[in-house]
Amino acid sequence: MSSKVDVLLGLQWGDEGKGKIVDVLTPHYDVIARFQGGPNAGHTLEFNNIKHVLHTIPSGIFHPGKKNIVGNGVVIDPVILKKEIDALVKMGVDINAQLYVSRKAHIILPTHCALDMASEADKGKKKIGSTLKGIGPTYMDKTGRNGLRVGDLFISNFQERYNSLKAKHERILEQYDFEYDISEKEALWHEGVELLKKLRIIDSEHYVNREMNAGKRVLAEGAQGSLLDIDFGSYPFVTSSNTISAGACTGLGVAPNKIGDVIGIFKAYCTRVGSGPFPTELHDADGDLMRKEGNEFGATTGRPRRCGWIDLPALKYAIMINGVTQLNMTKADVLSVFDEIKVCTHYEYEGNRIDYLPYDINSDDLSPVYITVPGWKKDLTNLHDEENFPVELSSYITLLENELQVPITVVSVGPNRNQTILRKPIHA
Ligand code: GDP
Ligand code: IMO
Ligand code: MG
């Protein structure tokens, strides 16, 4: 019997703990496939005293025998991919057996990164806060129909096409007051390309559909978060791809009627890295405490993450856009330090109380309305079953489930693989 693709994605502004949860769920799947984004992502996994951050490679890679696919919707920087592969090979991962790359995935050029930096520098105070990995310029070339794809690496005039695209970028870069030197990166890039050519390059849309038709279980792994989606996020402070569940259809070649569960990951509070609106952001000691307890520093850039209370109107929006069928809550343990926890249930906007995200979430006239609930003030990091949850944590979960109308099936209480409580069997 043919199966469907389950999609796992972030419901906030990224870094919800997607990598950790994908790693936990991988034993229940046969194939893990990334469908969008690129090395702007940093997905952290922890197990057996190993802490590892993945950028391009799906988070199922540490489970021998599981297939990991970099889908057509992903943009690949060969320099970063090579670094990731070199590190995994050292750790004993069988890349040849486990990693597959779509022929249709687009390639990030060194000049794409230079363009990203020049554009951000030019924006000054209005900068997006990009990770500067060349994501925006690469997707612009994709939609502008100029891009280079993995399959192009094998055609005879590849170098010519590379030179021509690089020259085009150099002409654009001349318009910026920006100095750059890509010579070192370019040499590494060519090394990366040579490695990329030796990987298993596939028509991933056919591959994924064949696996599904054979009844294999496929999990699509999202990057970034729904509020960074190019269409539905806090534009222009977003990334350049569709991070929502629909992105799994275009980023893997899976038809909408082949999507099964949509697993939405959210933190028990909220964070954002980079610029842009964040209604529940805390600028006080509570925010500092969340950052410290949650170790909220970017996995890709090391930047401190902005922290704040959970935002239900924003989560409801993300649940609607994605068609979320299951919620997974991470970092519940981080809230153990607080006597009281705040939950944003509404916004005050232009004199009215609303429970949805307005078009202009940048507005100075938008402020969160909170309810306050008691904290649990107990260490959760050694919990293994729900029976031992403090009553205040159970009430917090019930409150969120009632508000969001979707069951919370997984609660994560620490960064490690085994600090995870399943409230319902996977594939029940
Ligand atoms: P991703 O981009 O969604 O995969 O998330 P990141 O890896 O960028 O950031 C999540 C961070 O939180 C990582 O450092 C994880 O190791 C850590 N983490 C994940 N789940 C939990 C949890 O339940 N509790 C705590 N304390 N840390 C967690
Ligand atoms: P993961 O997959 C958090 C943010 C950047 C910036 C904006 C645009 O680890 O959750 P880009 O480099 O895409 O041009 O940056 O998006 N951003 C992320 N924030 N987690 C991520 O990925 C992110 N990827 C991009 O900080 O605000
Ligand atoms: Mg991350």
Side-chain angles (χ1 to χ4, degrees):
M1 237 230 341
S2 83
S3 64
K4 293 195 170 183
V5 171
D6 292 342
V7 183
L8 180 148
L9 41 73
L11 297 180
Q12 295 160 322
W13 278 288
D15 302 330
E16 297 90 348
K18 299 175 290 295
K20 172 195 159 154
I21 302 290
V22 170
D23 174 58
V24 168
L25 297 184
T26 297
H28 304 272
Y29 288 87
D30 302 293
V31 178
I32 312 297
R34 267 281 298 271
F35 59 89
Q36 45 68 234
N40 48 350
H43 294 182
T44 315
L45 321 186
E46 283 193 42
F47 56 93
N48 303 346
N49 295 322
I50 293 173
K51 178 175 172 174
H52 195 83
V53 181
L54 294 162
H55 301 288
T56 323
I57 294 175
S59 303
I61 198 75
F62 285 105
H63 293 265
K66 304 293 177 177
K67 308 261 190 309
N68 287 258
I69 300 179
V70 178
N72 59 279
V74 176
V75 291
I76 299 175
D77 183 334
V79 180
I80 295 175
L81 182 66
K82 181 172 185 306
K83 271 194 203 150
E84 286 188 75
I85 290 176
D86 288 349
L88 291 174
V89 168
K90 270 197 198 136
M91 295 166 84
V93 174
D94 186 352
I95 288 292
N96 268 336
Q98 283 190 256
L99 185 64
Y100 297 73
V101 178
S102 168
R103 221 182 284 291
K104 293 194 173 81
H106 278 248
I107 302 176
I108 302 175
L109 271 52
T111 38
H112 281 131
C113 300
L115 281 167
D116 211 356
M117 288 180 218
S119 163
E120 282 285 83
D122 187 60
K123 285 191 161 113
K125 278 197 182 138
K126 294 199 173 109
K127 71 175 182 182
I128 310 292
S130 162
T131 60
L132 305 177
K133 304 293 178 195
I135 304 296
T138 306
Y139 279 114
M140 280 163 74
D141 271 340
K142 175 177 176 174
T143 51
R145 295 154 301 172
N146 299 312
L148 290 178
R149 299 188 288 177
V150 170
D152 298 334
L153 299 173
F154 300 92
I155 57 176
S156 57
N157 69 345
F158 174 73
Q159 190 58 41
E160 214 175 288
R161 290 193 50 196
Y162 171 81
N163 291 343
S164 145
L165 187 54
K166 177 183 162 190
K168 191 176 191 130
H169 292 159
E170 285 170 340
R171 287 195 297 277
I172 302 171
L173 281 159
E174 271 169 29
Q175 291 160 31
Y176 288 102
D177 179 18
F178 181 75
E179 301 227 340
Y180 65 97
D181 176 6
I182 58 159
S183 49
E184 205 177 309
K185 171 128 191 191
E186 204 173 24
L188 293 173
W189 190 86
H190 286 292
E191 279 176 31
V193 160
E194 287 315 307
L195 176 70
L196 179 50
K197 284 167 77 174
K198 293 194 188 101
L199 299 177
R200 287 197 187 213
I201 309 299
I202 57 165
D203 293 311
S204 56
E205 64 278 34
H206 286 293
Y207 189 97
V208 168
N209 279 282
R210 264 200 311 269
E211 290 287 297
M212 273 161 36
N213 289 338
K216 296 281 166 48
R217 290 190 186 272
V218 181
L219 180 65
E221 174 179 359
Q224 289 80 56
S226 303
L227 304 178
L228 289 169
D229 180 84
I230 182 70
D231 282 283
F232 300 105
S234 47
Y235 194 87
F237 301 101
V238 293
T239 190
S240 299
S241 63
N242 279 119
T243 60
I244 59 169
S245 53
C249 296
T250 56
L252 290 175
V254 171
N257 62 350
K258 295 283 168 62
I259 300 293
D261 263 319
V262 178
I263 305 166
I265 316 284
F266 69 100
K267 281 181 192 173
Y269 49 100
C270 200
T271 65
R272 172 164 206 168
V273 61
S275 331
F278 180 178
T280 62
E281 181 172 11
L282 291 167
H283 298 280
D284 59 7
D286 281 347
D288 293 341
L289 188 58
M290 253 179 220
R291 189 173 309 104
K292 182 170 157 280
E293 289 297 312
N295 192 23
E296 295 294 358
F297 296 89
T300 295
T301 58
R303 290 178 292 178
R305 294 178 183 144
R306 300 156 62 194
C307 297
W309 299 114
I310 199 162
D311 183 337
L312 296 184
L315 273 178
K316 283 178 189 169
Y317 185 69
I319 288 168
M320 174 183 81
I321 296 291
N322 288 300
V324 172
T325 59
Q326 291 184 35
L327 290 164
N328 289 185
M329 180 168 83
T330 60
K331 304 196 102 165
D333 54 299
V334 174
L335 294 185
S336 294
V337 283
F338 292 99
D339 293 328
E340 289 182 329
I341 293 167
K342 287 190 177 169
V343 175
C344 168
T345 54
H346 295 81
Y347 304 128
E348 207 65 66
Y349 180 60
E350 295 180 340
N352 297 312
R353 180 168 285 210
I354 59 169
D355 66 354
Y356 60 89
L357 273 176
Y359 179 75
D360 184 15
I361 60 168
N362 270 319
S363 167
D364 288 339
D365 214 354
L366 181 91
S367 53
V369 179
Y370 293 109
I371 56 168
T372 302
V373 298
W376 38 90
K377 294 292 278 181
K378 284 194 186 76
D379 179 18
L380 306 181
T381 55
N382 293 315
L383 287 183
H384 294 287
D385 51 62
E386 200 180 343
E387 276 103 75
N388 294 316
F389 277 5
V391 58
E392 296 85 354
L393 173 61
S394 298
S395 306
Y396 191 64
I397 291 170
T398 306
L399 168 72
L400 298 184
E401 287 188 326
N402 285 341
E403 286 282 335
L404 302 171
Q405 290 292 301
V406 182
I408 298 178
T409 54
V410 173
V411 177
S412 171
V413 292
N416 202 287
R417 201 184 256 178
N418 57 25
Q419 291 173 302
T420 316
I421 291 125
L422 306 183
R423 301 182 71 218
K424 163 186 143 324
I426 316 277
H427 308 313

